[in-house]
Amino acid sequence: MQSLKSFDPDIYNAIRDETLRQTETLEMIASENFVSLAVLEALGSVMTNKYAEGYPRHRYYGGCEHVDIAEGKARFRSKKLFGAKYSNVQTHSGSQANMAAYLTLAKPGDTIMGMHLNHGGHLTHGSGVNFSGRLFNVVAYTISPETGRIDYDEMLRLAREHKPKLIVTGASAYPRIIEFDKVKEIADEVGAYHIADIAHIAGLVATGLHPDPLPYSDIVTSTTHKTLRGPRGGLILTNVEGGEFMLANMPKPKTLPQAIDAWVFPGCQGGPLMHVIAAKAVAFKEALRPEFKEYQQQIVKNAAVLAETLLSRDFSLVTGGTDNHLILMDLAPRGLTGRDAEKALEMAGITTNKNMVPNDPQKPFITSGIRIGTPALTTRGMKEEEMRQIGNMIAYILEDLEDEERQKKTRDDVRELCKRFVIYDIPEAIEED
Ligand SMILES: *Cc1c(COP(=O)(O)O)cnc(C)c1O
């Protein structure tokens, strides 16, 4: 980073300090991960300079022969990874992937069903502050207050009553398997489309550790930066090849893949981020290797051991455990809030986020829960033994939120632990004059 260092010390330092923070703390936000140096190199490349509106070999600009290779590889590899017939790798984020997918299958004003934000759904699944809640009439399904699991009977009842145009599945804070086959039955019964948003669990799906939504949905959307461990971005897949979709200014109907492409560009976006698409291609290549399956298996094992450790210290977990990469701690029985717990853990060098739990007595900005994930620490090479150690650290901190000595002592232990699991080299500090 020589040029940045001399030209812009402020930003150089911010990047350096962020590298240090990522290295010296325990990153347990369930949606975060650490990309490889190969992915970082592609991201920081000259492909950011290129305008490439359109799709490979059908661009609105000249000079696209090399970026076409990057996008072609990204498409091919993502199809192979998920066993999909069609892939669009251009969406800038998971939210944009959802926007393009919804608009492909529904019109503004139509009714859509998604999981309630406070029950683990995502903003784009129908929240009133998001495009999804503003453009569509939203009916939210929820989790059962008794079990903490998705209430599929309630989903069916709501679907029969409201006849949605589409049902969105997927979640941002749900520790259990999602039964896509059941949702498909519900969608078929009421004549709705099914979009499966696998933003969080994409890595598990790609390696067969979570049921595959492709056979049971019309469109699958995802991010590329969570368990999939690629650059920040979105992905759209489908195995439906036919269909008849009318698009603006087009006299003849299009197939579903053609309609998705058109809704991504020019429907929702302009020029694609070619450096990000190149980095996606690199990440998909990594994900196709056998080591990636071992990595995903370790994520799940690590989450299970962490859950076990916290249960052994008498903490409650929503649904009593986990099937995937994340855990939702319910702190209400301990009389704690998610906000205070998040803060105390952060002081101890453990980064998590507050999260609503079923029947949460607190407001969304306070909450009674903490969401904890293992993807990032597993990338660092941490295994069961470290998870036991970290589970006990978390319990120790939460048993007395006021005790700053505990936090300081744990902060030192965290730093020592982190030293054994190197992730990135720290750029050198700028010398003071
Ligand atoms: C993270 C997430 C998204 C959106 O991803 P962004 O890239 O942040 O827009 C969409 N859906 C679900 C379920 C998510 O967890």
Side-chain angles (χ1 to χ4, degrees):
M1 294 202 293
Q2 245 359 83
S3 314
L4 190 61
K5 193 174 171 186
S6 53
F7 176 71
D8 194 339
D10 297 331
I11 298 304
Y12 174 88
N13 275 338
I15 294 173
R16 178 192 178 275
D17 292 347
E18 172 61 9
T19 314
L20 199 62
R21 187 194 67 81
Q22 290 184 14
T23 309
E24 286 194 338
T25 57
L26 293 174
E27 185 50 73
M28 303 197 82
I29 292 177
S31 50
E32 295 191 11
N33 214 326
F34 300 116
V35 298
S36 68
L37 295 181
V39 167
L40 277 182
E41 282 171 12
L43 266 179
S45 74
V46 296
M47 283 202 178
T48 192
N49 297 333
K50 190 71 198 94
Y51 246 115
E53 286 183 350
Y55 289 97
R57 293 193 303 281
H58 303 277
R59 305 283 192 184
Y60 290 83
Y61 291 81
C64 287
E65 61 269 36
H66 306 298
V67 294
D68 275 4
I69 289 175
E71 185 164 349
K73 291 281 181 199
R75 281 182 156 189
F76 177 80
R77 290 171 184 170
S78 55
K79 285 192 282 189
K80 192 167 170 200
L81 184 62
F82 290 96
K85 294 193 176 119
Y86 158 90
S87 165
N88 184 305
V89 296
Q90 287 198 1
T91 50
H92 304 331
S93 69
S95 297
Q96 298 248 257
N98 282 342
M99 182 182 244
Y102 296 179
L103 289 169
T104 300
L105 297 178
K107 287 190 183 61
D110 282 349
T111 296
I112 68 170
M113 263 175 65
M115 189 152 152
H116 198 285
L117 181 64
N118 292 352
H119 290 243
H122 187 257
L123 276 173
T124 54
H125 295 188
S127 161
V129 298
N130 181 260
F131 82 86
S132 54
R134 290 173 167 239
L135 292 188
F136 300 101
N137 173 42
V138 177
V139 177
Y141 59 88
T142 54
I143 52 179
S144 147
E146 287 84 39
T147 63
R149 295 182 187 239
I150 294 170
D151 191 339
Y152 295 97
D153 295 333
E154 168 82 350
M155 188 191 284
L156 175 61
R157 192 187 63 73
L158 288 171
R160 279 179 178 152
E161 184 183 338
H162 297 281
K163 297 267 180 293
K165 192 76 190 279
L166 67 92
I167 300 175
V168 188
T169 52
S172 302
Y174 188 64
R176 295 296 180 177
I177 295 293
I178 297 170
E179 296 174 61
F180 298 119
D181 51 345
K182 269 193 191 168
V183 180
K184 163 86 175 149
E185 275 177 31
I186 295 170
D188 282 350
E189 186 186 318
V190 301
Y193 292 113
H194 175 201
I195 295 177
D197 173 357
I198 59 168
H200 259 260
I201 54 174
L204 302 176
V205 169
T207 51
L209 300 174
H210 187 288
D212 179 8
L214 269 167
Y216 304 110
S217 58
D218 299 282
I219 299 180
V220 173
T221 59
S222 184
T223 62
T224 46
H225 51 275
K226 298 181 184 176
T227 50
L228 207 48
R229 203 167 63 182
R232 197 156 282 284
L235 174 69
I236 305 180
L237 306 164
T238 184
N239 267 349
V240 178
E241 290 178 292
E244 291 198 354
F245 293 83
M246 295 308 296
L247 293 162
N249 306 325
M250 298 274 177
K252 276 199 277 180
K254 300 286 180 190
T255 64
L256 182 62
Q258 288 170 334
I260 294 170
D261 276 350
W263 269 111
V264 172
F265 170 83
C268 294
Q269 297 187 174
L273 310 174
M274 293 317 304
H275 57 307
V276 178
I277 290 171
K280 286 176 185 173
V282 176
F284 296 144
K285 181 169 182 171
E286 291 173 354
L288 281 163
R289 297 185 312 168
E291 295 92 310
F292 190 72
K293 177 158 189 177
E294 288 165 26
Y295 162 59
Q296 298 292 328
Q297 283 166 332
Q298 192 64 50
I299 290 177
V300 174
K301 280 191 218 163
N302 282 354
V305 170
L306 193 64
E308 220 174 78
T309 310
L310 292 167
L311 289 170
S312 77
R313 299 281 299 250
D314 280 334
F315 282 92
S316 326
L317 307 182
V318 175
T319 75
T322 176
D323 295 331
N324 60 20
H325 63 298
L326 71 83
I327 292 165
L328 257 185
M329 291 182 81
D330 182 356
L331 301 170
R334 294 270 183 150
L336 304 176
T337 67
R339 186 182 61 177
D340 294 345
E342 177 194 300
K343 212 181 294 163
L345 288 169
E346 182 157 17
M347 295 303 291
I350 301 172
T351 315
T352 63
N353 63 275
K354 61 176 179 277
N355 211 100
M356 296 293 273
V357 296
N359 288 325
D360 204 315
Q362 304 286 352
K363 294 210 164 66
F365 200 70
I366 310 281
T367 79
S368 298
I370 284 278
R371 187 185 68 159
I372 309 179
T374 55
L377 294 188
T378 309
T379 294
R380 291 185 80 151
M382 293 188 190
K383 296 203 163 71
E384 289 88 335
E385 192 191 325
E386 289 75 34
M387 292 305 125
R388 265 179 226 112
Q389 190 183 347
I390 293 164
N392 283 315
M393 286 177 181
I394 293 173
Y396 179 62
I397 294 298
L398 297 184
E399 276 160 8
D400 188 352
L401 292 188
E402 307 297 317
D403 186 351
E404 289 178 16
E405 270 312 301
R406 270 177 203 237
Q407 295 164 11
K408 251 175 55 204
K409 186 173 160 300
T410 305
R411 183 81 191 77
D412 293 338
D413 294 343
V414 164
R415 212 173 272 128
E416 283 311 304
L417 177 60
C418 287
K419 272 193 197 140
R420 293 199 285 122
F421 296 90
V422 175
I423 176 83
Y424 299 124
D425 290 337
I426 311 299
E428 46 173 325
I430 290 182
E431 312 258 329
E432 306 272 347
D433 298 322

